[in-house]
Amino acid sequence: MNRVDASAPRVVLFDLDGTVLTYDGESPGPGRTALESAMRQLHAVERATEGFRMAGGTDWALARRMLARAGLGDDDDAIAAVLSCYVGHLEVLLRTRSYRAIGDVAGAVGALRARGAIVGVATGNVREGASLKLASAGLGGTFDLALGGFGGDAEHRPDIVRIAAERCSSSAGGAIIVVGDTELDVRAARAIGARAIGVAHDGKTHDELVAAGADAIVTACGDALVTAVLA
């Protein structure tokens, strides 16, 4: 994937949480709450994510970590059961606790497509969770989820980004750009020879992205992001 054909379409891969979506309500947010509820229902474990950093994580890795810390089996079947239960709880929670878009997400995606870019997602969410979160923010039709990598495809973010890039283009060619809000997004981009555009919602996030070496940083999805991607 390191060879770039300047004439080929760019592939732009969006992280979701903290990049495209945010939640402004009471803490913990719907994602963490749904994971906690799944562990409580299946294993009677309380505070299963206490002390965990969620930003930049993947659902598969988070489920494995919760199970392991509780002294439970963390094989693939056990992880899949937790995540299936999680999706059910998330669906219920999002009926009353919605996410919102960070900036003009639909406008930015439309502008990129109009300029010939292939737009996909590279997120630590399992696909079902990603779909539910996007729909809750009014973005259900913004992304083609067939063009994406998800937390159910792989445990580690660089592998998710690689899968997403492959699904967006059957062969290597145009530049790949990863849009994300954490240093893990930047590292994943670098792992496949891609550019990294950071979305910084506060000063701490900005500093983290600078330290990670993001190629450009914007504050939200919108015209500035489109310009950075096409630079």
Side-chain angles (χ1 to χ4, degrees), residues 69-92:
R69 190 168 74 174
L72 300 165
D74 61 352
D75 57 80
D76 287 355
D77 288 344
I79 292 171
V82 168
L83 294 179
S84 177
C85 188
Y86 152 79
V87 169
H89 283 286
L90 183 65
E91 182 175 15
V92 173

Side-chain angles (χ1 to χ4, degrees), residues 9-15 108-109 112-113 116-122 143 147-148 164-165 168 174-180 195 197 225-226 228-230:
R10 289 176 173 85
V11 173
V12 187
L13 303 174
F14 283 82
D15 170 54
V109 170
L112 289 169
R113 287 185 177 137
I118 300 169
V119 178
V121 299
F143 296 93
L147 302 178
C168 287
I176 300 170
I177 300 96
V178 174
V179 182
R195 290 174 57 216
I197 307 298
L225 173 62
V226 173
V229 168
L230 298 178

